[in-house]
Structures are given as C-alpha cells and as structure tokens.
Amino acid sequence: MKRRHKWAIVALVLLALAGLLGGGIYYIAHVQEALWTKAVTDILEVTAQGRHALDTYMEKDAETLHLLAADLSGEDPADGATLLKKVRLFSESGTSYICVVLDTGTVYTDRQQTGYVLSQEQLDTFLALAESGVRRPFLDGYTGVWTLGNYERFTFADGTVGLVQKTRPLAEVAQRFSLSFYDDTGFSYVVDREGDILIRSLHKNSNRTFQNLFDIVDLQGNESGAVETFRAALGNGKKGVARFQYQEQEYVFCYVPLESVPGWDVISIVPNQVIMEQAGEIIEQSQILLLLVAAGVLVLTAFFLFYRYSTRRIVAAKEEARRAAESASVAKSRFLSNMSHDIRTPMNAIIGMTKLAADQADQPDKVRQYLKNIDLSGRMLVGLINDILDMSRIESGKMVLSETDTSLEELLTGIVKMVQPMVTEKKQQFEVRLLQVQHETLCFDALRLNQVLINLLSNAVKFTPAGGAITVEVAEQPAVKEGCARLVFRVADTGIGMKADFREHLFDTFSREQDSRVDKIEGSGLGMAITKMIVDLMGGEITVQSQPDRGSTFTVELDMRLPGRQLPAEDPLPPMRVLLADDDAATRQSAAAFLRELGAAADIADSGQAAVEMAVAAHGRKADYDLIILDWKMAGLSGIEAVRGIRERIPAEVPVVIFSAYDWAQIEAEAVAAGANGFIQKPIFRSTLYHCLRQYVLRQEPSAPVGGDTADLSGRRILLAEDNAFNQEIAREILQEVGAQVETVDDGRACVERFAQMPAGYFDLILMDIHMPVMDGHEAARQIRRMRRADAVTIPIFAMTADAFAEDIEAAKAAGMNCHIAKPLDIPVMLREMQRYLPR
C-alpha cells in the first residue's frame, strides 16, 4: 500500500512537474510574445509619429507654394521681371523655387538672374505633372543633387497655365525625418506602392545596397502568400506589420502610409533578433525561476500563484499603459489641431489683408480699413495665444469674462471679413441678416463671442459642400433680465447635417461623428465643447437642429447688458428719399425700418429690375431719389446690372451704392465701371446707413478711424530700456507721434546709469523691458528706487514685457514698478496709462 501510495505521490509530483514545465514553457512563450508585440507596437507608433512629422513638413511646403501660386496668378506671364521678383521673395535657405510658363516653356528661378526656355524634354516633364503634389526624387540638373519637390499648377491673369515648384535637397529631408532604432540596427525608409525606395537614412549603418523592398523579400525564400499580402497592403494604403527573411535573418517591417503624398509609405525595418534581445534577461530569469520551482511541490505552488498574479498584473499594466498612452496622444493631437484651426483663421485674415493693403497702397481709405481689420484679427490672435499659454485656466476649467462696451457692428463686420476667404474659396452663398436689432453697442466679452461665432461659421463652411448656402441671422428680443437686451444668433447651412444619435454628444469633448462623409474633413472634436463652455459662462444657451443631408442650424441666445455710458446722439439728417433693393425680404424690411428711423422716406424693391423701373419712373416725375442702394447678388438682374440700367437713363448726380456680404475687392472694378459710387458691407446696421447717407447724400467725408493715440505728451522726456531694436523703434515712433522726447538704452544697467547721470526731474517716465542682458528690468527698477535722490521714488516706471500672466504683474509691482503693459502693445491702453501718471 505504501509503495503504491509512494508511486502515486511520485506520479502526482511528476504530473505536477510536467504541468509545471508545460505551464512554465507557456508562460515564457506568452511573455516573449507580449514583449515582442509591445516592442513592435512602439516601433509602429514611432513610425507613425515620424510619418506625421514628414506630412506636416510637406504640407507646410505645399501651403507656402500655394501662396506663391496665388500671388503669381494675378500677373502677366510675359512680365518676366515681376515673376522673377515674386519667386525670389519666397526664396529661403536650402530651398529653390521656380515658376514655369507651360504655354511657352519659359522658366524663372531664384538661382538665375533672368528667365530661360526649357528643352522639350524638360518641358514634357512639367507638362506631365498633375494639378499639385510631390514629385518623386529626381536629380537636379542645375546642382547635380538628388532633390525632393512640391509643385502646383495655376492660371495667370490672361488664362495662361503656369506651374510653380519648391525643391529642397533629398539629403536634408532624409537627415531630418529618417528614424533609427536600437542603436542604429534598424532604420526607416520612404517607399512607393511598387516598393521602390525614395528616401533612405544617411547613416553609415543603413543598408544602401537594395533599391526595392520586394527585391529583398522575393529572393529570400519568403512565402509567396505573405509577400503578396504585404504588397496588397502597401497598394491599398494600409498600416501594419510584416516579418520576412533577409540574408538568413528575420526582419520586422512596420509600414504607415503618408497622408500628404498618396502612394508613399514610411517603412521601418528592424532585425527581429535585436527586438527579442530586449526580452532576453526576462526570459532567462523566468527559466531559472522555473528550475527552482521544479524542486518541490511547495515551490511549484508558489510559482503557480506567482504565475497567475504576475500574468494578470502584466496584462493589466500593459492595458492601462496602452489606454493612457492612446488617450494622451489623442488628447494632445486634437488639442493642437483645434488651436491650429483657431489661430489660422485670424492669421489668414491678417495675411490676406496685408497683401490687399500692399496692393492698394495708393488708396488711403482702403488701406486704413485693411489695417483696422488686421488690428481686429491680431487682437483676436493675441487673445487665443494668451489662452493657450495660460494652461492652468484651461486645465482647471477656469475662465474669466472681460466685458466691455463693444460695437456689435464692428464685431460682425470683422467676422464677415474673416469668413469671406473661406466662403469664396468654396464658392458658397453667404448671407447676413439683421432682425429688429435696436442696440448696436452692448457690454459683452468680444473675444469670446467672436470665438463662438467663428467656430460655428468655420464648421458651417467646412461641412457644407461647394455651392451650398450659409446664413447668419442676428435678432434682438426683449430680455428677461433688467438692463439687458437678448441677442439671438443663428448660423444655418445646407451642409451634410448630423444624425440624431450624434447630436446628443455634439458638445462632448473630442466628440466627432463616425461617418464616411466626414472622414476626410479635418477636426479635433474640441471646438463645439469649447463653444458650449463659453456660451454657458456667458449665461446663454446654445441649441442645434440638424438632419442628415439637409443641413444644420445652431442658435445661440445671450442676454447682454446695455452700455453703462450714454452714447453720443446722432446729428439729425434733412429729409431725403432713398430706394433700397434686395431680394431677401428680411434684409429689406430691416434696412427700410432703419432708414425710416433716420427720417428718410424709404421705397423698397424686391429685384434689380424693379429698382431700375422705380428709379426711372421717379426720374420721369422729376423727383429723383437722393440715394439708391442695391444688393450685389439678386435673382434675375444683379446689382451691377441694375446700376448699368439706372446709369443709362438717370444722371450721375444720383448716387448709387452697392451693398453685399462679400468682399468689395471682388467687384469693385466692375461696379465702378458700371457707375456705382461706393460700397457698404453687410450686415446693414442703423449706423451703417446713417454714415452712408452722410457720405453719399450730404457729401460729408467719412469719419476718420477711431484711434487710441490721442494723448498729448508734448515736452515729456521718457527713458526707454529695451534690448530689441524693432521694439525700440515701435515704442519710440509711437511716443514721438504724441510729442514725447525719447531716449533709448539697451539693457537695465545702462538705464540705471543714464537715470543717475541726469539731474532730478529730467525724465518724466521710464519704460522698462523685463528680459534684458547685463541686468533685467526688475533689478534695474529696484536699484532706481534705492537711489538717494528726490525723483527716484516718484518717477513712474512701466513694465513693458511679453510676460503677461498674473504672477508677472505681481513681480513687476514687487520690484517697484507702477504699471504693467503687456506685449504686443495695446497702444490706446499704454497712452491712457501714461496720461494718468503724467497729468497736465
């Protein structure tokens, strides 16, 4: 019995050991596979990040090239000097730009002083290129260097087809974007769908012998099915991992398609042996542990428990780490994408308006308007940047409203001008309507409301196909709160709409509808969440109505406080008759009501043809209108066509004005040629019509733009400490324009020494930058305050710095400074503060 029991125990132990051994082998294999999978996932993620960096790099080149193409499209292709000049303006270190007139074969490049004619073979190369894209690497005939280039076709002013190309050395691209792995045993390559290697690492250890990936895998005895699967994955633009033999060694291929260049992929090739070496120590320790546990049942039990515990812990830790990494990566990418969207919108307006101002420098009125729009967009941009930098507010959800008396007319006009380029590009219909708006000046946070409306409008443009319609309505309703007016903003579009189940999550963070219609439309999923947060903070409400393929309507309702100050009364206008034509009933009624409030007798027409007939009939009665206002886009007879019809039978003494939500620059030449006297921008407020009547009927000059530099600092001496020459020049010019005498120094020590050299009372004020060499602004202010002289304590010292957070203001005060002026300078605020400290 004992013997039988003994053998039973032995059998049990052997069975336990066999189970232990089997479990141990399974455990080692599982850990090894998990470590391999984690390593390969990391390689694939790094490859995707490298792909994203290369995509961003190429997209930036494409954007620059598009700006050059847009700039050249308005030129005469025969004007070689101008083409060469514009090409050189875009020249930058390490790149080359060319412009090719495809009809003549003439090329202009920043490397030559004059244009020259391409050979037929060279011209055929450019003619074969599509509308835009990236060329395969080619040998530059001028430099003898392998080159990578972006290109874009465009049309000159006379209809001639041109092409611009931006190139940079292939070695520079490879140096910047090639990835290496595991002490340079693995590298990344850029290949096309046929497997040809286009960009390879320049590192000496990188394999430079093969030219095509399939030449590697086809000749090494790899399974044909696996090779064909890999080939199909590249051909279909898939992302994934494959393993192949090469020179009796197994390699891992991680491939990710480029988004900016269809048909190209980034591939990382790493020896599998190197990857597995990372797991060698863990595997060896597991084997030792297995041998020790095999010595006895107790160790076997302990190992079994350890195996269960460690396996679960490893899997849970891996899953938690994976989810955390994915969440952080998605949050960061979407946040940056949203901020890029918000920043690019005013930046696009700044760039566009700057070009318009340069092109029309001989027309001061227009230049002033362009500069005003640049200022509005710049202020919005500064506000956005401040929010991005102030991460504590974003992370904690804290945001403080800055409510001031603001012109609703200026806000909406600025928004319209910012949206115009996007609407024009997609050839969409754009209309802005006012419905019973009685208060033009209200107290609200202009930056936040601007952000809300720009977000809604940019989404409407983005999700509305070309030729669609976008409408903005602004209505005023009685407010429940005393001393307020309720403003209702509606942004409607005829776009793709939304499904009902998605509308419930529209305002959730990172929410984005999963739909093939929006897969290729950029978006972070943060925009609507931020919009909802701002509307809630302003005490308002936002709702949405939407149906798939029928468009969306967003409604924002806000109670805005009436202005705290009494607005100046308008000068009364003499009796006058006005004819207004618009095919939009709401606009007609609103504008006619405003005209009647101003004391004008208003006749309205619902079409261009009706306006012509009414104007001609009035002329026949010898009772001409004092002013005729025509909408540009009307069904049937357009506004410009109506102007021509009126001018054929009515003398030029009767002023005719065009109004539209579109840019005046698009129609100015045609409108003026037809006989129009001027233009007013929609939306049409009461003040818009008031100034229009004064300008075109009473022949009074339009009011000069309101500036903030009305201060008088004549005879005041100001010491400016600033190490940046451009900032010195800006501040000096501004102060000299208002009469101040300005002395400049380049650092804090020089400021202290100059102040000490001059007698007490010589300087009236010190403007002090904070970050300067030799001595910073804080220390300079402290040393001045410690001087034993009468004016050391009393002279006003202003901090003039880009450090704009609350703690920076407190630091300036602690150093003895009286005032903190943030850069970029708000000129009206700076001059107002100076006058407060330097009273007459």
Side-chain angles (χ1 to χ4, degrees):
M1 258 330 255
K2 290 182 178 180
R3 194 168 202 170
R4 194 178 299 173
H5 181 66
K6 178 180 178 181
W7 282 110
I9 294 176
V10 170
L12 183 61
V13 170
L14 292 175
L15 183 62
L17 290 175
L20 175 64
L21 180 62
I25 293 174
Y26 169 76
Y27 169 77
I28 292 173
H30 176 74
V31 171
Q32 187 175 27
E33 180 65 21
L35 292 171
W36 183 90
T37 302
K38 178 65 169 61
V40 171
T41 302
D42 290 342
I43 295 171
L44 189 63
E45 179 62 25
V46 173
T47 304
Q49 292 175 359
R51 180 283 312 270
H52 178 71
L54 183 55
D55 274 329
T56 303
Y57 186 73
M58 290 184 174
E59 289 170 358
K60 180 180 178 183
D61 279 356
E63 290 176 1
T64 304
L65 200 62
H66 183 68
L67 289 175
L68 176 57
D71 198 15
L72 292 172
S73 63
E75 301 298 335
D76 183 355
D79 188 359
T82 298
L83 299 184
L84 191 59
K85 178 180 178 182
K86 288 185 178 292
V87 169
R88 286 179 177 171
L89 284 175
F90 280 76
S91 179
E92 55 188 278
S93 176
T95 65
S96 177
Y97 288 85
I98 66 171
C99 171
V100 182
V101 183
L102 296 179
D103 292 4
T104 63
T106 306
V107 63
Y108 301 91
T109 173
D110 55 3
R111 295 172 175 168
Q112 298 285 350
Q113 298 299 320
T114 61
Y116 60 91
V117 179
L118 296 170
S119 66
Q120 188 59 46
E121 181 181 357
Q122 293 173 321
L123 180 59
D124 290 341
T125 299
F126 289 112
L127 289 172
L129 298 178
E131 292 300 319
S132 63
V134 180
R135 294 182 61 182
R136 291 173 64 89
F138 62 93
L139 190 64
D140 191 325
Y142 184 82
T143 63
V145 174
W146 281 94
T147 304
L148 187 69
N150 291 65
Y151 66 90
E152 179 174 341
R153 282 195 177 201
F154 67 98
T155 304
F156 286 101
D158 63 355
T160 302
V161 179
L163 180 142
V164 288
Q165 176 177 280
K166 177 181 182 180
T167 61
R168 61 177 71 245
L170 185 63
E172 177 188 330
V173 180
Q175 183 68 31
R176 183 173 296 188
F177 295 103
S178 294
L179 307 173
S180 64
F181 305 87
Y182 300 107
D183 295 328
D184 296 329
T185 58
F187 298 90
S188 68
Y189 306 84
V190 176
V191 304
D192 61 16
R193 296 292 161 82
E194 287 71 39
D196 290 332
I197 296 177
L198 306 175
I199 304 176
R200 68 176 73 238
S201 173
L202 300 180
H203 195 277
K204 62 181 181 179
N205 294 337
S206 174
N207 193 322
R208 304 185 186 183
T209 60
F210 57 81
Q211 303 297 324
N212 186 285
L213 290 182
F214 297 111
D215 291 344
I216 303 174
V217 299
D218 284 337
L219 303 178
Q220 302 295 320
N222 292 294
E223 293 182 5
S224 59
V227 174
E228 289 305 316
T229 299
F230 176 52
R231 191 189 302 271
L234 287 186
N236 294 328
K238 300 294 185 181
K239 172 182 177 181
V241 178
R243 281 193 280 191
F244 296 108
Q245 293 288 332
Y246 175 63
Q247 294 182 346
E248 299 182 354
Q249 187 176 356
E250 189 174 43
Y251 282 77
V252 175
F253 290 61
C254 297
Y255 48 94
V256 181
L258 277 171
E259 296 178 353
S260 60
V261 187
W264 290 16
D265 296 76
V266 178
I267 296 187
S268 298
I269 304 178
V270 184
N272 189 57
Q273 179 182 354
V274 176
I275 298 176
M276 293 310 303
E277 285 177 357
Q278 301 281 318
E281 183 177 350
I282 297 176
I283 300 302
E284 182 179 350
Q285 292 176 352
S286 300
Q287 291 172 340
I288 295 173
L289 178 63
L290 180 61
L291 293 175
L292 293 175
V293 173
V297 175
L298 294 177
V299 178
L300 173 65
T301 304
F303 176 77
F304 175 73
L305 295 175
F306 171 78
Y307 165 74
R308 292 185 59 190
Y309 173 78
S310 61
T311 300
R312 290 176 179 177
R313 187 174 182 180
I314 289 173
V315 172
K318 282 169 51 182
E319 180 64 20
E320 183 179 354
R322 183 187 66 80
R323 290 178 179 176
E326 288 182 354
S327 177
S329 177
V330 170
K332 179 180 69 174
S333 298
R334 287 178 172 172
F335 176 76
L336 292 177
S337 175
N338 185 75
M339 288 301 100
S340 174
H341 168 272
D342 286 350
I343 289 173
R344 285 174 182 270
T345 300
M347 184 59 73
N348 180 59
I350 291 172
I351 293 173
M353 290 296 172
T354 301
K355 182 181 182 303
L356 290 174
D359 291 344
Q360 302 188 40
D362 57 340
Q363 301 187 46
D365 290 341
K366 288 189 176 181
V367 171
R368 279 194 293 268
Q369 184 61 40
Y370 294 145
L371 292 177
K372 182 179 179 182
N373 295 333
I374 291 172
D375 179 68
L376 290 172
S377 299
R379 292 175 186 275
M380 178 183 176
L381 187 59
V382 169
L384 290 171
I385 292 174
N386 286 340
D387 279 347
I388 295 172
L389 296 178
D390 195 358
M391 291 303 296
S392 61
R393 285 192 296 167
I394 295 175
E395 292 176 353
S396 64
K398 295 180 180 178
M399 186 180 292
V400 179
L401 295 178
S402 177
E403 296 185 341
T404 58
D405 290 350
T406 305
S407 168
L408 198 62
E409 186 269 338
E410 291 183 5
L411 175 81
L412 291 177
T413 300
I415 290 174
V416 168
K417 289 183 181 296
M418 266 191 273
V419 173
Q420 280 173 352
M422 296 185 290
V423 171
T424 302
E425 183 178 355
K426 295 188 70 172
K427 298 181 180 178
Q428 295 166 331
Q429 300 177 34
F430 184 48
E431 188 66 36
V432 184
R433 302 188 184 116
L434 297 183
L435 303 177
Q436 299 178 343
V437 176
Q438 298 299 317
H439 297 91
E440 294 186 27
T441 300
L442 295 163
C443 186
F444 59 92
D445 189 323
L447 175 63
R448 300 305 175 196
L449 182 56
N450 196 316
Q451 189 175 352
V452 168
L453 296 179
I454 285 292
N455 199 0
L456 295 178
L457 277 169
S458 60
N459 281 344
V461 174
K462 184 165 53 175
F463 293 106
T464 300
I470 299 169
T471 303
V472 179
E473 288 186 354
V474 182
E476 182 174 338
Q477 298 176 355
V480 177
K481 297 180 181 179
E482 186 177 354
C484 294
R486 166 152 291 203
L487 270 294
V488 180
F489 301 87
R490 290 188 182 87
V491 178
D493 63 65
T494 59
I496 61 176
M498 291 174 282
K499 298 176 183 176
D501 56 348
F502 175 71
R503 289 200 303 271
E504 299 177 2
H505 305 284
L506 174 64
F507 299 111
D508 295 344
T509 304
F510 304 131
S511 177
R512 182 170 169 83
E513 188 168 15
Q514 301 301 315
D515 193 319
S516 60
R517 301 173 302 165
V518 300
D519 286 344
K520 296 184 178 180
I521 299 178
E522 295 181 358
S524 65
L526 278 174
M528 296 312 301
I530 293 175
T531 298
K532 179 69 163 59
M533 179 183 66
I534 293 174
V535 173
D536 289 345
L537 188 63
M538 297 178 76
E541 181 181 1
I542 181 170
T543 57
V544 59
Q545 296 178 336
S546 182
Q547 294 183 19
D549 301 320
R550 298 187 65 178
S552 304
T553 299
F554 285 86
T555 302
V556 176
E557 299 185 38
L558 297 170
D559 285 332
M560 298 181 177
R561 288 190 292 112
L562 299 178
R565 56 186 175 85
Q566 186 68 31
L567 299 178
E570 297 171 340
D571 293 334
L573 298 174
M576 58 185 70
R577 296 178 63 244
V578 179
L579 172 61
L580 184 139
D582 195 316
D583 58 354
D584 181 74
T587 301
R588 287 198 309 271
Q589 294 171 3
S590 175
F594 286 149
L595 286 169
R596 293 178 185 124
E597 289 177 9
L598 292 170
D603 292 339
I604 59 175
D606 60 3
S607 67
Q609 183 61 44
V612 174
E613 293 173 357
M614 293 172 68
V616 171
H619 181 67
R621 298 192 304 269
K622 296 183 179 181
D624 285 322
Y625 289 102
D626 296 294
L627 177 65
I628 300 175
I629 306 176
L630 305 171
D631 184 29
W632 173 33
K633 287 194 172 184
M634 290 186 285
L637 203 65
S638 71
I640 294 179
E641 291 171 338
V643 172
R644 292 195 187 97
I646 290 171
R647 287 301 183 217
E648 289 175 356
R649 286 171 280 184
I650 295 177
E653 286 77 12
V654 177
V656 180
V657 174
I658 298 289
F659 70 104
S660 173
Y662 296 84
D663 189 5
W664 171 234
Q666 299 179 36
I667 60 171
E668 180 180 11
E670 185 181 5
V672 172
N677 297 89
F679 172 83
I680 53 177
Q681 179 78 57
K682 284 186 177 180
I684 303 299
F685 282 85
R686 186 178 188 273
S687 62
T688 308
L689 293 171
Y690 175 76
H691 293 298
C692 178
L693 294 174
R694 289 175 62 94
Q695 180 177 355
Y696 294 104
V697 179
L698 304 181
R699 300 293 192 271
Q700 297 177 350
E701 291 296 325
S703 301
V706 177
D709 54 353
T710 57
D712 181 10
L713 299 180
S714 300
R716 300 293 191 175
R717 293 192 185 94
I718 296 176
L719 179 58
L720 170 63
E722 170 64 69
D723 62 319
N724 183 282
F726 289 112
N727 290 339
Q728 270 192 14
E729 181 179 359
I730 292 170
R732 183 173 57 250
E733 291 291 335
I734 290 170
L735 295 172
Q736 288 177 347
E737 284 183 0
V738 294
Q741 301 175 34
V742 183
E743 290 191 27
T744 59
V745 291
D746 298 330
D747 59 70
R749 178 173 295 172
C751 179
V752 174
E753 293 173 351
R754 183 58 178 165
F755 179 77
Q757 290 170 1
M758 306 310 293
Y762 181 82
F763 290 111
D764 297 292
L765 184 141
I766 299 175
L767 272 178
M768 184 84 73
D769 187 23
I770 298 301
H771 296 287
M772 292 184 290
V774 184
M775 181 185 292
D776 64 38
H778 290 150
E779 180 59 27
R782 283 191 286 265
Q783 291 197 15
I784 290 174
R785 294 303 189 201
R786 288 197 295 263
M787 290 183 182
R788 294 185 177 180
R789 48 186 287 174
D791 60 345
V793 177
T794 59
I795 185 169
I797 302 178
F798 283 20
M800 185 179 65
T801 175
D803 296 335
F805 295 122
E807 56 268 27
D808 301 313
I809 299 175
E810 291 302 319
K813 291 181 179 179
M817 297 183 176
N818 303 87
C819 185
H820 181 283
I821 305 296
K823 295 179 182 176
L825 298 177
D826 188 326
I827 308 304
V829 171
M830 182 180 74
L831 295 177
R832 185 167 61 247
E833 288 299 313
M834 285 185 174
Q835 284 193 310
R836 189 162 69 90
Y837 280 91
L838 300 174
R840 286 291 178 185

